[in-house]
Amino acid sequence: ARLYLGAEFLVWTAHGIFSVLFNLYLVEAGASEAFVGRAIASSAVGMVVAALPAGALADRWGRRRTLMLGAVLEGVGHLLRASSTHGSLVLGAGFVAGLGQSLFQIAAAPFLTDHSTPRERTHLFSMFFACALLAGVLGNAVGGALPSLVRAVVPGATLFAAYRVALLAGAMCAAAAALPLLALSGLPEPKPVEGTPPPPPHETRRLVPIAVNAALIGSGAGLVIPFMNLYFKNRFACSSAQIGSFFSIAQVFTAMAALAAPAVARRFGKLRTAVASQFLSLPFLITLGGERHLPVVVGAFWLRATFMQASTPLVQAFVMEVLPQELRARSTSLNNMVWNLGWAASAALAGVIIERFGYAVPFYITATLYATGALIFYRAFRGTHESSAAELRLSEEAKGLRGDGPGTD
């Protein structure tokens, strides 16, 4: 678990750096918001294209090797798009980075599920999510501070050159994530059994509301999340250092909430806790659209991120538990595909909306999409039984299962 979390930390450090700087880097090079939207969409398109093949690859070739390939491809894609501002190259490199990100993300949840028992799984997924968030804190901080440091160390360096140096450092972090996974080369992984009958139709039908929820959340996120750095810069004239600090503190709050979520979920259940957390984020999302005072906006930004993202590990753990093993990778692939289809379409559209109507309208549309997705997900699974901590403990101790890995589900 520690080795895997080390790889996760490196990947999300790179994401943190790029989330603060990449759009600013493109705008500094003279790009419009519409092109920024297309650049974001190109990465999401790569994730969509790889989504379904990634699930099959993870099943047949192995989760660990799929994770390693994803880390390398993502690092190469980031390296290429940090090395040039030529339109076609930026879009193509974004596509490659998206391929790698899809491989890494799709293999992650089944890999963790295969090597954990039900009793520890909620905590493992929460730690998995918190590790990504804390890495994002570091990446946001580095992304915000490194350009100023580069300009201080290298007299005469332009802001554009400083952005590029920071992005290249992020690309190296992503590629280096393959190294901790090398140490897991002897870890056994379950293999698909040839001739296994397909899961019953009622199990397969569960994929539909899960995918609809993912599509709506992805569509809403693509309208606002990729443009938050430009939102702070253009509406409030914030510097990259300020933006990096805003992002970092949001990640800290979210990580704390993610680590506390299992305790709340034990009392109220993963499903109800996750859906309630998503609904609690909506007033703060609407506030971001209409508010003009920076301190209020920053507080709303932190609280929105905390409530919305704290639900993610609970949703992931819940979905992995309610689905049989043969549907887990398929579900992860499908969810990544529809989430990124929604993200790609809405990110490309958001650039145009922002140029015409400003930043408020995307926030209001996003709030509507999030609320709809949460309602659909809750209605579909509200009668689903969730095993209590006592039931899990009795079952595992009776069987002698103590995190033995494959075959303990």
Side-chain angles (χ1 to χ4, degrees):
R2 287 191 292 270
L3 286 167
Y4 173 77
L5 292 174
E8 188 76 16
F9 192 89
L10 288 168
V11 165
W12 283 95
T13 298
H15 290 177
I17 292 172
F18 271 78
S19 69
V20 171
L21 293 181
F22 185 62
N23 295 354
L24 303 178
Y25 164 79
L26 291 178
V27 170
E28 189 67 21
S32 66
E33 280 88 351
F35 178 78
V36 171
R38 290 196 297 273
I40 295 164
S42 69
S43 180
V45 169
M47 296 184 72
V48 170
V49 169
L52 293 180
L57 185 67
D59 283 339
R60 300 290 172 178
W61 194 46
R63 324 279 204 213
R64 183 187 66 87
R65 286 187 284 187
T66 303
L67 288 166
M68 290 179 63
L69 178 60
V72 171
L73 284 177
E74 185 170 353
V76 169
H78 286 330
L79 184 66
L80 290 174
R81 63 179 183 162
S83 300
S84 173
T85 56
H86 187 274
S88 299
L89 183 56
V90 168
L91 298 180
F95 180 83
V96 173
L99 293 176
Q101 190 174 348
S102 187
L103 292 173
F104 197 91
Q105 290 185 356
I106 286 170
F111 181 78
L112 292 175
T113 305
D114 288 342
H115 299 291
S116 62
T117 63
R119 183 174 60 183
E120 66 202 12
R121 192 165 294 138
T122 300
H123 294 278
L124 180 59
F125 270 86
S126 293
M127 192 63 197
F128 158 56
F129 190 64
C131 180
L133 291 170
L134 292 173
V137 172
L138 176 62
N140 293 156
V142 170
L146 192 55
S148 298
L149 179 62
V150 170
R151 298 186 76 183
V153 172
V154 183
T158 64
L159 183 59
F160 173 78
Y163 285 160
R164 173 168 284 175
V165 170
L167 292 175
L168 290 172
M172 297 303 294
C173 281
L179 299 177
L181 297 169
L182 285 172
L184 297 174
S185 58
L187 194 65
E189 296 190 41
K191 299 293 184 183
V193 179
E194 297 297 335
T196 301
H202 75 276
E203 295 284 3
T204 305
R205 283 195 295 270
R206 290 186 168 193
L207 298 178
V208 176
I210 296 171
V212 170
N213 171 262
L216 291 172
I217 298 298
S219 298
L223 286 171
V224 297
I225 303 304
F227 296 91
M228 287 306 304
N229 52 0
L230 295 179
Y231 165 83
F232 281 116
K233 180 181 179 181
N234 294 337
R235 181 180 273 193
F236 300 101
C238 295
S239 67
S240 65
Q242 286 178 294
I243 296 169
S245 67
F246 298 158
F247 282 26
S248 295
I249 294 171
Q251 298 279 49
V252 171
F253 287 158
T254 307
M256 293 169 61
L259 290 173
V264 181
R266 282 198 298 271
R267 174 67 178 84
F268 299 103
K270 287 186 283 292
L271 177 63
R272 284 187 289 178
T273 303
V275 172
S277 182
Q278 291 175 356
F279 273 106
L280 286 170
S281 75
L282 299 182
F284 304 107
L285 185 62
I286 293 169
T287 299
L288 288 170
E291 184 58 53
R292 294 285 176 172
H293 295 87
L294 182 60
V296 177
V297 164
V298 171
F301 174 67
W302 291 339
L303 289 169
R304 186 222 68 85
T306 298
F307 283 118
M308 189 65 195
Q309 294 200 64
S311 68
T312 301
L314 298 179
V315 171
Q316 288 178 330
F318 178 81
V319 168
M320 289 294 104
E321 287 183 1
V322 300
L323 294 177
Q325 181 175 341
E326 60 268 25
L327 287 179
R328 289 171 184 163
R330 189 188 310 179
S331 174
T332 308
S333 297
L334 180 61
N335 292 346
N336 273 266
M337 183 180 72
V338 298
W339 195 97
N340 285 290
L341 275 172
W343 173 282
S346 61
L349 181 62
V352 178
I353 293 175
I354 290 169
E355 286 184 348
R356 293 187 179 183
F357 304 108
Y359 286 94
V361 173
F363 285 107
Y364 303 146
I365 298 173
T366 295
T368 303
L369 293 172
Y370 280 5
T372 304
L375 280 173
I376 290 172
F377 191 76
Y378 180 75
R379 288 177 61 86
F381 293 103
R382 60 184 173 181
T384 302
H385 173 71
E386 294 185 39
S387 299
S388 68
E391 289 172 328
L392 293 176
R393 189 179 304 112
L394 175 62
S395 172
E396 289 171 15
E397 291 179 354
K399 296 177 182 177
L401 301 178
R402 303 281 185 170
D404 295 328
T408 62
D409 291 335

